[in-house]
């Protein structure tokens, strides 16, 4: 019988997650992001998430190629605090990471493919409706292209509840995560951005110190339920092979 796996054994890829709040915190949906001082071509403007737009503001306005991970995290925190948002951005990694290294989404080898899944859910017509999640996806996609990520159906999937893109149902989100990792190999650069509601549910397998699983909430949550972090770990993160880079940005409540 083999013993329990170490984190490095369970997660072979190099995974970095930047989240907009601690597990116990909520995340702000901002009515007007004009105060974030984004370039005119960054996105559609209007409403948006505090996490997404503080990240983009810093990367656009601070010579983004020279920003380190620790600088990004601190500047995001300072910006949110200045704007009276209580949420505290978090960074986690599957490997010991030097936070003084510059922010880089593309694998250092630079020879692999890029793939991205961008999810924006406004929950249109519900009492949980948000305003800025579609805008967040458009702005993030614009920035990703500038970082070297490719567009097109082989490289990008966008899920939005706008009647035009693939609907962000539970099944479609999980299928998109599977697509992201299908055929992944050493040197690939993968990216996930989620802007929508996040939640918490009672831990069902005893692996959480606080007794709660964190969740993302698909558009059909009333029928299909919430998507637990354990399910995302098992179906997206753990199957990835060694030397694949996956960056995840979670702009939602309870995302630490």
């Amino acid at each position: 019988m083999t013993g329990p796996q170490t984190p490095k054994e369970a997660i072979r890829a190099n995974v970095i997650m930047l989240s907009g709040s601690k597990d116990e915190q909520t995340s702000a949906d901002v009515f007007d992001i004009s105060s974030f001082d984004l370039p005119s071509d960054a996105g559609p403007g209007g409403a948006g998430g505090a996490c997404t737009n503080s990240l983009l503001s810093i990367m656009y306005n601070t010579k983004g190629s020279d920003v380190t991970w620790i600088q990004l995290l601190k500047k995001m925190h300072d910006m949110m605090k200045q704007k009276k948002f209580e949420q505290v951005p978090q960074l986690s990694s599957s490997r010991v990471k030097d936070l003084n290294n510059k922010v880089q989404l593309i694998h250092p080898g630079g020879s692999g493919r890029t793939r991205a899944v961008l999810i924006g859910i406004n929950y249109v017509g519900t009492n949980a409706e948000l305003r800025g999640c579609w805008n967040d996806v458009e702005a993030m996609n614009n920035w990703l292209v500038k970082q070297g990520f490719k567009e097109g159906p082989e490289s990008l999937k966008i899920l939005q509840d706008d009647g035009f893109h693939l609907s962000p149902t539970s099944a479609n989100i999980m299928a998109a995560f599977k697509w992201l990792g299908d055929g992944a190999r050493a040197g690939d650069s993968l990216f996930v951005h989620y802007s929508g509601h996040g939640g918490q549910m009672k831990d069902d397998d005893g692996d959480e110190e606080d007794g709660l699983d964190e969740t993302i909430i698909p558009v059909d949550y009333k029928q299909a339920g919430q998507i637990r972090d354990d399910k995302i770990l098992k179906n997206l993160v753990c199957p990835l092979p060694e030397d694949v880079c996956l960056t995840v940005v979670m702009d939602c409540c309870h995302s630490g």
Side-chain angles (χ1 to χ4, degrees), residues 45-67:
C51 170
T52 297
N53 289 283
S54 61
L55 183 157
L56 293 178
S57 176
I58 292 158
M59 297 306 294
Y60 276 121
N61 294 312
T62 321
K63 293 184 178 180
S65 61
D66 296 324
V67 176

Side-chain angles (χ1 to χ4, degrees), residues 17-21 51 192-194 216 248-252 255:
M17 185 176 79
L18 187 63
S19 53
S21 66
C51 170
V192 172
H193 174 236
Y194 174 81
I216 60 175
V248 181
V249 176
M250 300 295 287
D251 194 347
C252 59
S255 55

Side-chain angles (χ1 to χ4, degrees), residues 79-173:
M79 182 175 289
M80 291 184 189
K81 187 175 181 181
Q82 180 184 15
K83 296 180 185 303
K84 310 300 183 184
F85 303 132
E86 295 184 357
Q87 64 194 81
V88 180
Q90 306 288 301
L91 188 146
S92 53
S93 174
S94 63
R95 299 287 182 270
V96 174
K97 188 169 187 65
D98 185 351
L99 297 182
N100 291 306
N101 288 339
K102 70 178 183 179
V103 175
Q104 186 174 0
L105 307 185
I106 298 294
H107 190 285
S111 59
R113 69 179 181 178
T114 65
R115 272 191 172 180
V117 170
L118 310 179
I119 305 166
I121 313 178
N122 278 351
Y123 308 91
V124 177
T126 73
N127 58 9
E129 187 165 353
L130 298 173
R131 297 161 297 186
C133 300
W134 302 347
N135 296 340
D136 287 346
V137 165
E138 183 174 342
M140 185 62 74
N141 187 33
N142 290 343
W143 181 67
L144 283 178
V145 171
K146 293 179 172 65
Q147 307 312 304
F149 276 74
K150 296 178 181 178
E151 295 185 286
E154 293 299 315
S155 301
L156 173 67
K157 280 193 184 295
I158 293 177
L159 292 82
Q160 293 183 175
D161 54 338
D162 57 0
F164 177 73
H165 294 89
L166 184 66
S167 179
T169 63
S170 179
N172 285 344
I173 290 172

